[in-house]
Amino acid sequence: MNFFELRTIRWEDGKVVLIDQLSLPERLEFLTLRSCEEVADAIKRMAVRGAPAIGVAAAMGIALKAYNSKARDREELLRELEEAGRMLKGTRPTAINLFWAVDRMLGLAERFEGGLEELKEELVREANRMADEDFETNRRMGEVGEGLIEDGDVVLTHCNAGALATVGYGTALGVLRAARERGKCVSVIATETRPALQGARLTSFELSSDGFHVTLIPDTAVGYVMERGMVDKVLVGADRITRDGHVFNKIGTYQIAVLAERHGIPFYPVAPSSSFDLESDWRSVKIELRGYDEVVKIGGRRIAPKGVNVLNPAFDVTPPELVSAIVTERGIIKKPFEESIPKFIKKNL
Ligand code: MRU
């Protein structure tokens, strides 16, 4: 398996075909989804996960709703699509790409001036365009960001911001792929990323499949490797970045950024413009709280006593002062973020 070219999500004859991330790394299996409801369920169960990937999956969910619709007129179809949009937006609250993708699809449907059948076809085309754009955006981010990487660097990454979290190539891991394509030698330290283990199951799988030298560490070993001078840079993805530079990403990112600052290690989020939220105050962004079993069990086996109290936030917030710069497809955004982010990012809704 080569993740440089792989497409993780595709539209195929009225169905959405995507990699089942829950089966990795034991089995590489594809799910075939036939309805918007099945797409919503796959997002909720994290069979598809990663901010850009769930955005494109949601767009394909809206396309499926249109493709399968028996609506007799445009108004009826629009009502069905709005209902589908509400369902998709209710799956996971933190990654803004999901909301951006649904709004882009619904905005197109509202503005469209042709007939009912043409509108359905146009929605399918738009979802496919978004998939293609995601891949191209990641290639561009790779080109923009690879200049930050020096030959021989060891990069620490958290969670999975790779091909699997996107339609292909990846955000943070795309930068590493681009550096490698330019002939630089890069090795990676991947955190396991408890409790859903995206680092262990996905990042170490996709990087080692592509021939990177990757070392998997427990989340608790980040201070150890940094204190020993084993890390040159930290590159992570992002689920949402507000206009003042607060970065929402997988739980554990904040403590990595704090440790990076203490050890003088640059900390770079890598994210497309669809991950930016220019409207919300960072304090009002909802952080997803996930279930009990993810924490009290590992691989289905209970590791904590019955009845123990559990808190399982899926994301945290890294404040702008801990962020060195942000890599986007439009260039590298430097501080002060409250001035530079609104200039760089004009949302293409
Ligand atoms: O809960 P997940 O696995 O969807 O969380 C994913 C992350 O936090 C990634 O780091 C983020 O989406 C960036 S992906 C390019």
Side-chain angles (χ1 to χ4, degrees), residues 67-126:
Y67 184 88
N68 293 328
S69 173
K70 304 264 181 307
R72 278 153 304 183
D73 57 39
R74 188 186 140 83
E75 277 59 45
E76 195 180 343
L77 177 63
L78 285 183
R79 276 198 301 278
E80 288 178 7
L81 297 180
E82 267 168 39
E83 183 55 39
R86 268 195 293 280
M87 175 181 62
L88 288 161
K89 286 181 177 182
T91 53
R92 299 194 70 192
T94 307
I96 193 166
N97 314 59
L98 175 68
F99 297 82
W100 167 81
V102 169
D103 288 343
R104 178 164 154 179
M105 293 292 282
L106 296 185
L108 180 148
E110 269 160 34
R111 287 190 308 273
F112 191 77
E113 285 176 353
L116 189 63
E117 291 311 311
E118 286 104 308
L119 171 54
K120 292 183 186 176
E121 284 163 21
E122 187 54 24
L123 285 165
V124 173
R125 271 197 295 274
E126 182 73 349

Side-chain angles (χ1 to χ4, degrees), residues 46 49-52 92 159-161 165 171 198 237-239 249-250 315:
M46 291 172 66
R49 42 65 48 205
R92 299 194 70 192
C159 191
N160 174 265
T171 60
Q198 293 92 332
D239 292 83
N249 193 47
K250 180 51 53 194
F315 302 94

